[in-house]
Amino acid sequence: MAAYSGTADCSSNIPDYEYIDVNTKVFHIRSFRDEWLKRLRPCDFSYQEDSEDTFEANFVKEMGMSAETLAELKSICSLDSLRRPADEPQDTEVIPPEPTLKTLVQRKKRQDYKASRKLSKSTTRHDLYADELERLTIGRKAEEVTDMVPEGEVILTINVYYPNTAERFNNVRPHMTLLMTGSHSLAELRDAICCVSDLQVCGEFSNTPDMVPDFISKDLYKSAFFFLEGVFYNDMRFPECQDISMTTIEWAKSRNFPLFSQAKMEDTQLVDLKVKVGFPYLYCHQGDCEHLVIITDVRLAHKNDCLNKKLYPLLTHKHRVVTRKCAICHLYIGRWFTTNDQFAPSDPCLFCDKCFRMLHYDAQGNKLGDFLAYPYVDRGAFN
């Protein structure tokens, strides 16, 4: 992989490639935003809609054309010119046998490919709802003016990946994609990340299956950190939080690595970070559950974005995974897994709640046999 050797902008506030099409060099997000606001006109990032007459007048002026040429363009590029003849069916799913329009040619190829593969309905359903979350929020406006995303606000696109302990191939696709404004803190990013490790219930409950505690791992082990550009941002919002980055810092000191610094994630806004777009950073929680976090885009908000501050952090994509079913009925999602279990077909074995109780307890709720049982939280719970 070769580093980018082109001529960089004289201002360090503007990100430049470190590796072409991979990641940028380090830049300060607030300075980058201020540089854009300095170079753009207020109307360029305003949410106000121009009237059609104003838009046409500005278009003619900027393109240096006459009003007659604009009228001709509007006629040629009208949606009516894209419609099929009136005597033909208007179904958008029906494509002519030999289309000449480039978009229809590509759609025809895709339809023929799907037909040749005989793809299942589930695949079609996935394609249909792939961008459902983003479509539900695009263009949403706030009811109150105070809830509007301010003009000139910066929006970051953040991909959060599966932990490195997940099954193969899961670590190469994002688990979720979030949109966040620059005024959000790293603590708010942490709260928006969903991980099955935070939902686990610790302990063995074969003797008391009805007394599983209500608290989850996230309530018990609240410490976490982000590691970005040599800085550990620790979550210290609660008295129970510990500085779990100190182990790594002391290890690095003993081996003469460059010194790392520390900060509190609740006191750090995203707009104050120095980052590389496209570069993998670390989010660690529950002691050793590590996720890659990649900022893929930093831009100014525009009028077609979701402009309701209350809806941010905004989830735009979530990878759906196959749920693990009960080993007995193969119908319901697993809720318990057992070990040293004489009633189970395997060791360990996964059970839904109904099958677990029917096999392992009598009518009075007394335990049958000698086995160990642990609550299980399926990754598909986030689907």
Side-chain angles (χ1 to χ4, degrees), residues 345-369:
S346 63
D347 188 13
C349 189
L350 197 61
F351 295 91
C352 67
D353 191 66
K354 186 175 182 179
C355 293
F356 172 72
R357 294 177 185 275
M358 288 176 63
L359 280 174
H360 297 91
Y361 301 91
D362 60 20
Q364 289 72 40
N366 299 315
K367 179 179 177 181
L368 303 176

Side-chain angles (χ1 to χ4, degrees), residues 8-47:
D9 194 290
C10 59
S11 173
S12 60
N13 298 336
I14 300 177
D16 189 22
Y17 274 125
E18 181 177 27
Y19 296 98
I20 298 177
D21 294 334
V22 178
N23 65 266
T24 68
K25 296 179 180 178
V26 179
F27 68 97
H28 187 231
I29 295 178
R30 184 185 296 275
S31 300
F32 177 53
R33 182 199 65 182
D34 294 344
E35 192 69 31
W36 265 118
L37 297 179
K38 191 190 311 179
R39 300 188 181 203
L40 293 174
R41 300 169 299 175
C43 61
D44 292 330
F45 53 87
S46 173
Y47 300 152

Side-chain angles (χ1 to χ4, degrees), residues 288-308:
D288 60 352
C289 187
E290 300 177 343
H291 300 255
L292 289 182
V293 177
I294 300 180
I295 299 173
T296 60
D297 191 21
V298 179
R299 60 176 176 81
L300 293 180
H302 55 74
K303 57 189 175 186
N304 292 328
D305 282 316
C306 174
L307 299 179
N308 189 342

Side-chain angles (χ1 to χ4, degrees), residues 98-370:
E98 297 181 359
T100 56
L101 195 64
K102 295 296 184 182
T103 53
L104 291 181
V105 170
Q106 295 302 319
R107 286 190 61 196
K108 180 69 174 174
K109 287 181 179 179
R110 184 168 178 82
Q111 277 193 358
D112 294 343
Y113 172 74
K114 285 186 175 182
S116 65
R117 291 286 304 277
K118 297 180 180 179
L119 298 178
S120 65
K121 291 183 179 180
S122 61
T123 305
T124 305
R125 199 160 54 239
H126 174 77
D127 292 342
L128 181 63
Y129 295 110
D131 60 343
E132 178 187 18
L133 293 172
E134 189 170 10
R135 285 190 282 111
L136 288 174
T137 54
I138 190 169
R140 290 277 295 272
K141 302 292 192 295
E143 296 181 0
E144 301 292 336
V145 178
T146 54
D147 295 332
M148 285 282 288
V149 175
E151 293 181 354
E153 178 63 281
V154 67
I155 292 181
L156 294 84
T157 304
I158 303 174
N159 284 345
V160 182
Y161 289 75
Y162 283 101
N164 59 359
T165 55
E167 298 173 5
R168 63 175 184 168
F169 304 128
N170 277 342
N171 60 339
V172 299
R173 59 169 66 91
H175 173 213
M176 58 194 304
T177 300
L178 295 164
L179 292 183
M180 300 191 68
T181 66
S183 58
H184 281 108
S185 68
L186 282 172
E188 290 172 299
L189 172 58
R190 191 232 164 151
D191 293 339
I193 296 175
C194 298
C195 178
V196 72
S197 298
D198 287 331
L199 301 181
Q200 300 296 340
V201 177
C202 302
E204 195 277 320
F205 298 94
S206 60
N207 294 317
T208 56
D210 296 321
M211 297 180 62
V212 177
D214 293 331
F215 62 82
I216 55 179
S217 297
K218 190 173 183 178
D219 299 327
L220 192 60
Y221 308 107
K222 299 183 178 181
S223 303
F225 68 78
F226 288 98
F227 180 66
L228 299 91
E229 295 301 324
V231 182
F232 286 96
Y233 296 94
N234 292 286
D235 190 347
M236 305 299 290
R237 289 175 290 176
F238 309 100
E240 306 93 327
C241 290
Q242 301 178 15
D243 185 356
I244 60 176
S245 66
M246 279 305 301
T247 302
T248 306
I249 293 175
E250 291 173 357
W251 177 88
K253 282 183 180 179
S254 65
R255 285 160 177 78
N256 296 321
F257 280 94
L259 295 178
F260 298 126
S261 57
Q262 295 172 288
K264 294 181 179 180
M265 67 169 68
E266 61 269 25
D267 296 337
T268 305
Q269 291 185 324
L270 298 179
V271 74
D272 294 323
L273 295 175
K274 290 185 177 181
V275 297
K276 299 178 181 179
V277 170
F279 191 82
Y281 295 110
L282 175 65
Y283 166 59
C284 179
H285 65 125
Q286 297 300 320
D288 60 352
C289 187
E290 300 177 343
H291 300 255
L292 289 182
V293 177
I294 300 180
I295 299 173
T296 60
D297 191 21
V298 179
R299 60 176 176 81
L300 293 180
H302 55 74
K303 57 189 175 186
N304 292 328
D305 282 316
C306 174
L307 299 179
N308 189 342
K309 284 194 301 186
K310 291 184 177 180
L311 297 180
Y312 287 88
L314 188 60
L315 181 66
T316 61
H317 169 78
K318 183 184 289 184
H319 179 238
R320 288 173 167 82
V321 297
V322 177
T323 56
R324 298 186 64 183
K325 299 297 192 294
C326 171
I328 305 301
C329 67
H330 302 287
L331 290 175
Y332 301 109
I333 298 175
R335 291 287 181 253
W336 295 88
F337 77 90
T338 63
T339 60
N340 301 324
D341 189 356
Q342 60 181 334
F343 304 112
S346 63
D347 188 13
C349 189
L350 197 61
F351 295 91
C352 67
D353 191 66
K354 186 175 182 179
C355 293
F356 172 72
R357 294 177 185 275
M358 288 176 63
L359 280 174
H360 297 91
Y361 301 91
D362 60 20
Q364 289 72 40
N366 299 315
K367 179 179 177 181
L368 303 176
D370 185 20

